[in-house]
Amino acid sequence: MVDSLAKPAIAKQVAIQENLLTPRFYTTNFEVAAGLDLSAQATELEAMLTEMRADYNRDHFVRDQSFNQSWDHITGEARQAFIDYLERSCVSEFSGFLLFKELSRRVKQRSPLLAEMFQLMARDEARHAGFLNKAMGDFGRTLDLGHLTKNRQYTFFPIEWVIYTVYLSEKIGYWRYILIHRHLAAHPENQFYPLFKYFEPWCQDENRHGDIFKALLRSQPGLWQTWQSRLWSRFFLLTVFATHTLTVHERANFYHTLGINPTDFDAKVIRKTNETAARAFPSVLNVDHPEFLDRLHQCSDLNQQMSAIEKSPQPKWLKSLKKLPIQVQIFGHLLRLFLLPGVDAEALRGTVR
């Protein structure tokens, strides 16, 4: 029997378990960001800023009494898979917070509207990261977010890449959260932890942030009116979808615990995100091509092989040598997918589908 009044053990701060799929921290060219001409989407951005100021989810991320119990009954692989999910999600949200906060600070003098928008998005991301870190605490672990801020390596992305990738990150996050929310609404017996009750307001934040970045993207003709933008759109879609497939199947035990088939879930998220991206990007991927999901699944299988090599007690140099041909195979699959003819989203815009 579980003592509903039992308190979790004191949480221990832990280091991130790094691998290829661990979320990165980013920086960008802030002067270029400050100089973006937003006039083409000024009305849309002003409307979204008003919505962000209203902060409709202000009171939604408050832990209730349902958290005040022991979670020791969640054990084994299911427990570890959930902790891994919480950790990566927390790092991802915190990464967004740091980027948005710094963008807000650095563009404030030249672009007050954009600065306030980034400040309010940073507010949301900080709220999410803090909520996830408290959830990790229920399982005896937390992340030292201050230490991460000072010691984690930052990757430079041009602001154009930031706009593409953050848009996709927010929209694919929306579809992940809303699909899990809908599944658990239909199967409440699988809702093993109260965090899932918050996925509906969570996905609202993700969707709102994605809409802001859609407006930023459409304000810059070079991001959707050129042949290069068509290639970049498909490139970033492919990298996000490949990462999603590898991550979902690496966390298969987590999805099984929720009663979700990870392969079916991955496919639905990819299709929905690709369909959504067609409203912003000039070109999207043909995810219904017979090779598309099959090659992503082969990449996932190869990634599992690399994980097994990495966990082996062999010398580091030997692990790297064994992983090299597998990495080449993954690259080959992704290259074949990138070279598949894309879908002209601009030609479809405004049509009924």
Side-chain angles (χ1 to χ4, degrees), residues 86-307:
L86 291 174
E87 179 183 284
R88 286 190 188 172
S89 298
C90 181
V91 173
S92 179
E93 298 283 354
F94 191 64
S95 170
F97 159 72
L98 290 176
L99 177 61
F100 295 159
K101 180 183 177 184
E102 189 64 10
L103 274 164
S104 176
R105 187 179 73 85
R106 300 283 287 271
V107 308
K108 188 173 183 179
Q109 297 301 319
R110 294 174 59 191
S111 185
L113 182 148
L114 201 54
E116 186 176 1
M117 194 80 80
F118 282 128
Q119 177 190 2
L120 295 175
M121 286 192 288
R123 171 203 67 195
D124 294 344
E125 301 289 301
R127 187 180 287 160
H128 298 166
F131 203 77
L132 287 163
N133 212 18
K134 287 181 181 178
M136 287 184 64
D138 290 339
F139 293 83
R141 300 173 64 172
T142 60
L143 293 175
D144 185 344
L145 299 180
H147 178 80
L148 279 179
T149 303
K150 297 176 182 178
N151 295 281
R152 192 160 173 77
Q153 183 176 352
Y154 287 71
T155 300
F156 176 83
F157 262 24
I159 190 62
E160 296 83 3
W161 293 11
V162 169
I163 292 173
Y164 282 124
T165 56
V166 174
Y167 169 77
L168 286 175
S169 174
E170 300 289 351
K171 287 301 184 180
I172 202 169
Y174 165 78
W175 282 113
R176 278 199 301 264
Y177 286 123
I178 194 64
L179 290 175
I180 292 175
H181 166 74
R182 291 172 182 171
H183 169 79
L184 292 178
H187 302 280
E189 69 278 8
N190 292 323
Q191 187 168 284
F192 62 85
Y193 182 70
L195 176 72
F196 302 112
K197 298 186 300 182
Y198 296 80
F199 273 20
E200 185 174 21
W202 211 306
C203 76
Q204 293 169 4
D205 283 345
E206 302 285 324
N207 200 38
R208 194 173 292 114
H209 294 181
D211 287 343
I212 290 169
F213 273 86
K214 174 189 173 184
L216 290 177
L217 189 151
R218 300 300 288 191
S219 74
Q220 307 302 307
L223 297 184
W224 63 277
Q225 287 187 351
T226 65
W227 66 266
Q228 295 98 326
S229 66
R230 292 175 175 272
L231 296 178
W232 282 122
S233 294
R234 286 162 46 207
F235 171 79
F236 285 115
L237 277 164
L238 182 57
T239 56
V240 167
F241 291 164
T243 301
H244 188 262
T245 297
L246 268 57
T247 302
V248 166
H249 288 91
E250 192 177 76
R251 296 176 181 162
N253 287 330
F254 165 69
Y255 291 98
H256 288 312
T257 305
L258 293 176
I260 293 174
N261 181 300
T263 300
D264 293 344
F265 175 78
D266 174 52
K268 193 163 189 178
V269 169
I270 286 175
R271 288 193 173 100
K272 289 293 187 181
T273 305
N274 196 62
E275 180 182 321
T276 300
R279 302 169 193 167
F281 286 1
S283 179
V284 294
L285 297 169
N286 181 5
V287 298
D288 294 319
H289 190 284
E291 290 185 31
F292 193 86
L293 292 176
D294 178 65
R295 287 191 181 276
L296 285 186
H297 295 158
Q298 291 186 61
C299 289
S300 178
D301 292 342
L302 291 165
N303 181 61
Q304 296 292 338
Q305 293 179 32
M306 286 202 299
S307 296

Side-chain angles (χ1 to χ4, degrees), residues 58 207 323:
R58 180 189 300 109
N207 200 38
K323 287 191 291 185

